[in-house]
Amino acid sequence: MKAALLSALPPALRPAPCQCATGGWGGATRHGAAQVGLWTFMAVVCMLFLLFGIAYTMRIGYGDWRAPPPVPWQLWLSTALLAGASMAWQVAGRRPAVARRWCLLGLLCALAFVVSQLGAWRVLAAQGFAPAASPGAGFFYMLTGLHGLHVAGGIGAAILVMRQPGFAHTGAGDAGPVCARISLCSQYWHLLLALWLALFALLFRVTPALVQDLCAAVGIGGR
């Protein structure tokens, strides 16, 4: 499907493929090992959030559960910024000739995401939804804080990639090792976006009534 869509574009608009070098740090073997390591780490992160999500849905049915306030606009902004970062890294990996500017844009979006998240925390706390206000609030800050830590890790990795000697000379025909690293960053930021969207839905769309309905549908009795 993807190949068909790309083939339908004019040649000038088709993305340039990532050409990974076979020597040095970006050699095929080293890149393959880094890829496997990243996938392993991403699987662990997904399992971690899955377990916390299950704990959240189990806790939500208790009587002391308090629903969060309406979604503050800062969180909508955060979603857009994270989507922008994910897109920027994707474009950077596919267009080595302009990778530097897209990497910088991705980094700026990520930094703005952190600022927006902190603003959302302050707004929610001012509305009485502080971490100690209720179990639901505690889950909210724990999950968003955990996601924020992974975003901070992605920012650190992005800075390391952008500080590599070959990054300043990345061009259309010189994209090997740096392109490989950008590709890894791209995958990680896609994961962060997917996790954020899942968290957003879990925290603001999953209600006690919905959980009870789902439990009833699968034959799990209520408390």
Side-chain angles (χ1 to χ4, degrees):
M1 182 65 179
K2 180 180 177 182
L5 291 174
L6 291 177
S7 63
L9 293 173
L13 298 180
R14 294 175 189 171
C18 178
Q19 300 172 354
C20 299
T22 57
W25 190 94
T29 302
R30 183 70 63 85
H31 176 63
Q35 179 70 80
V36 172
L38 176 64
W39 285 348
T40 303
F41 177 73
M42 291 166 65
V44 172
V45 171
C46 288
M47 288 302 300
L48 177 65
F49 277 95
L50 176 62
L51 292 176
F52 277 123
I54 293 174
Y56 181 90
T57 54
M58 293 176 65
R59 184 63 178 84
I60 196 172
Y62 285 78
D64 60 345
W65 190 264
R66 178 186 171 192
V71 182
W73 65 266
Q74 288 89 350
L75 290 184
W76 293 111
L77 177 61
S78 296
T79 305
L81 289 170
L82 198 55
S86 178
M87 182 192 70
W89 282 101
Q90 176 69 20
V91 176
R94 290 187 171 277
R95 294 183 177 274
V98 291
R100 283 174 289 174
R101 69 183 66 170
W102 284 100
C103 288
L104 180 60
L105 176 61
L107 179 61
L108 292 176
C109 286
L111 293 172
F113 171 84
V114 174
V115 174
S116 181
Q117 290 293 86
L118 294 176
W121 279 11
R122 189 177 67 174
V123 169
L124 290 172
Q127 296 177 358
F129 200 66
S134 68
F139 265 102
F140 174 85
Y141 287 96
M142 180 189 68
L143 291 172
T144 55
L146 185 61
H147 181 267
L149 286 177
H150 287 85
V151 169
I155 291 174
I159 292 175
L160 287 177
V161 169
M162 297 173 69
R163 288 175 58 87
Q164 293 300 311
F167 182 81
H169 305 291
T170 302
D174 183 22
V178 175
C179 182
R181 300 177 189 184
I182 291 174
S183 175
L184 296 177
C185 284
S186 173
Q187 296 170 45
Y188 185 68
W189 283 101
H190 295 341
L191 173 68
L192 291 177
L193 175 61
L195 287 175
W196 172 249
L197 293 176
L199 279 181
F200 197 97
L202 177 69
L203 296 171
F204 291 101
R205 294 294 180 264
V206 176
T207 63
L210 177 61
V211 173
Q212 291 177 2
D213 291 343
L214 291 176
C215 289
V218 297
I220 300 177
R223 282 176 291 274

